[in-house]
Amino acid sequence: MDYQEAASYWEKKDACARHMDSDSLLKEIEQFVLAHNTCALATGCREFIRCTPIEYNYARGKFWILSEGGLKFSALQENSNVCLAIYDPYTGFDKLGGLQVTGTAAMIEPWSDAYMSLLDYRKLPAESLRKLPNPLYLICITPTKFDFLWSGFKKLGYSTRQHLSLGK
């Protein structure tokens, strides 16, 4: 198996692809993100990896994830680099929709202004959550890169796979 050849497939294909301008691409990405609410969140450190299906909110250009806990936090403690995937069910090559987001995760302190802001955004009553035996943990993911495979790009005259890197 030639792993490097397989790994370079999209790089070679992208070399002659028609790319969308960054502002228009970001609008398409955000439209796709807002049309969904669940992702697969991948975390890892050393030999440990975890991929968690989980609900998200997208606001102010960031992903906000409330969680009761779980093994993903073992990895996040040592490695803030994450990847999440959002996708449509596969129904054929003419209806593809999948987005990979690479970014960095930060933990938001329970009951802080940012935490309370998300509760307000989600219309979750803080009084009820304060009664839980443990607070819900809030992960904020700041995207650094988007890889978007979407059949709709072809109808717009672009290659079906588009990339957007954001400055750190």
Side-chain angles (χ1 to χ4, degrees), residues 83-147:
C83 188
L84 61 89
I86 304 165
Y87 47 91
D88 290 332
Y90 178 77
T91 59
F93 280 115
D94 61 334
K95 293 183 176 109
L96 294 175
L99 176 67
Q100 290 183 54
V101 181
T102 303
T104 55
M107 298 305 303
I108 304 301
E109 189 67 33
W111 320 120
S112 66
D113 288 345
Y115 188 92
M116 297 303 285
S117 178
L118 182 76
L119 294 185
D120 187 50
Y121 179 82
R122 295 269 320 262
K123 297 180 179 25
L124 295 171
E127 312 79 49
S128 297
L129 295 180
R130 286 185 190 271
K131 293 176 185 174
L132 295 173
N134 296 304
L136 291 177
Y137 301 100
L138 178 57
I139 305 166
C140 175
I141 298 170
T142 302
T144 56
K145 185 171 101 173
F146 296 97
D147 294 303

Side-chain angles (χ1 to χ4, degrees), residues 13-14 16-25 28 148-163:
K13 196 164 179 144
D14 266 359
C16 59
R18 183 155 185 252
H19 299 282
M20 182 177 269
D21 69 273
S22 296
D23 291 338
S24 298
L25 178 56
E28 294 293 343
F148 193 12
L149 179 63
W150 181 53
S151 299
F153 288 131
K154 193 170 187 175
K155 294 174 190 161
L156 299 173
Y158 298 99
S159 297
T160 56
R161 190 163 189 266
Q162 299 287 317
H163 307 278

